[in-house]
Amino acid sequence: MTGGRHLVPALAAPLLGVAMMVTSCSAQAPTAADAPDAELRVEILRTLDHDPNAFTQGLEIAGDDLFEGTGRSGESWVRATNLGSGTVRARAELPPPLFGEGITVVDDTVWQLTWRDGVAIARDRETLSEQRRVALDAEGWGICALADSLVTSDGSSTLTFRDPRTFEAQRTVQARRDGVAVTHLNELECADDGTIYANVWTTDTLVRIDPADGGVIAAIDASALRDALPPGPRDVDVLNGVAQIPGTDRFLLTGKYWPRMFEVRFVP
């Protein structure tokens, strides 16, 4: 395959609902996980179609768009889909042998990581055209944006905080739960309340992390999503792809080659 196909037209109507929620809901941080080390699960609110040929590595809502990035050499791309119409507004392929990983949006820039290629790519938010490349000093897995820094994962328990302009590392924290390192941190989402959500690779678990010290505030069991997946044209891979619907306690979750995306809440 040379790239994933566009979102199916059936996605347009469900995403319109997401767009309306983004603009109409009052801002509220997730509250179910406020207790330390909470054990949560996903509550499925809505099921959406998802491109089953997308090896999803990054997912984020910014403005009127849903941004998604994929991986594998020859299959890596990034695209922006309008939430109101469900149409693909812009798309850019990542030429082989580059292997795409996580993405995030900062102002007018979309940052895209590569896995073991040693570069991160800055793209124009509107066109997704490549603007520049910067050196990446570790494997690239996930990336998200806090108010004053980018946060990246490299498949270990380490989160690296970077300057959003130069990409230089500023500090690191180790994700730990009950004193034990949580490894295989993958796709990241920096939530409205300043905490960080991370997929834990090869599992159906997400963790919610305090960026100040790396402490795990909550663990979220998302295995119900896999049980809700219909057969697709390709064997489904791991859970990967988390995007908060801004201003709400709801998230979009999907996975690699998953034919569905889910709107969920995290509940006890």
Side-chain angles (χ1 to χ4, degrees), residues 11-261:
L11 191 55
L15 279 179
L16 177 61
V18 173
M20 292 173 66
M21 277 196 298
V22 170
T23 57
S24 64
C25 289
S26 60
Q28 54 180 320
T31 57
D34 284 346
D37 202 18
E39 295 281 352
L40 306 176
R41 62 178 176 84
V42 296
E43 177 188 22
I44 299 174
L45 304 174
R46 205 153 53 110
T47 301
L48 311 170
D49 288 330
H50 180 252
D51 185 344
N53 290 314
F55 195 75
T56 303
Q57 303 282 34
L59 197 69
E60 182 165 339
I61 295 173
D64 295 329
D65 293 321
L66 174 67
F67 292 85
E68 183 170 10
T70 65
R72 290 197 166 174
S73 179
E75 299 185 19
S76 296
W77 44 258
V78 60
R79 70 184 171 201
T81 302
N82 181 270
L83 288 166
S85 65
T87 60
V88 175
R89 184 183 60 73
R91 176 179 168 122
E93 308 290 333
L94 196 59
L98 296 181
F99 188 121
E101 283 283 347
I103 62 167
T104 197
V105 181
V106 181
D107 299 326
D108 295 330
T109 300
V110 176
W111 282 102
Q112 180 183 26
L113 300 184
T114 60
W115 181 29
R116 292 176 171 171
D117 302 296
V119 295
I121 300 170
R123 298 184 177 276
D124 178 80
R125 176 172 171 173
E126 289 303 311
T127 65
L128 298 182
S129 61
E130 182 176 326
Q131 302 296 297
R132 62 189 175 105
R133 297 185 183 187
V134 298
L136 185 61
D137 53 2
E139 288 189 5
W141 286 50
I143 183 171
C144 68
L146 293 173
D148 57 355
S149 60
L150 299 173
V151 187
T152 61
S153 62
D154 61 10
S156 68
S157 62
T158 300
L159 293 178
T160 301
F161 295 75
R162 300 178 180 275
D163 185 285
R165 295 166 299 279
T166 67
F167 221 75
E168 291 182 0
Q170 300 168 319
R171 67 181 181 95
T172 63
V173 298
Q174 305 297 313
R176 303 185 74 83
R177 186 182 187 199
D178 299 327
V180 178
V182 179
T183 61
H184 295 131
L185 300 181
N186 200 358
E187 146 81 332
L188 305 177
E189 173 72 357
C190 293
D192 289 350
D193 64 356
T195 61
I196 300 168
Y197 287 83
N199 285 281
V200 180
W201 184 56
T202 76
T203 77
D204 290 325
T205 299
L206 297 98
V207 289
R208 182 182 178 213
I209 302 168
D210 184 339
D213 59 8
V216 171
I217 301 167
I220 302 146
D221 177 6
S223 58
L225 305 184
R226 189 176 294 273
D227 295 338
L229 287 173
R234 306 177 75 156
D235 292 338
V236 297
D237 207 301
V238 297
L239 174 76
N240 207 41
V242 50
Q244 184 178 17
I245 299 174
T248 79
D249 62 350
R250 303 180 181 202
F251 292 76
L252 297 181
L253 298 180
T254 191
K256 301 176 181 183
Y257 298 148
W258 283 25
R260 296 291 184 270
M261 181 165 59

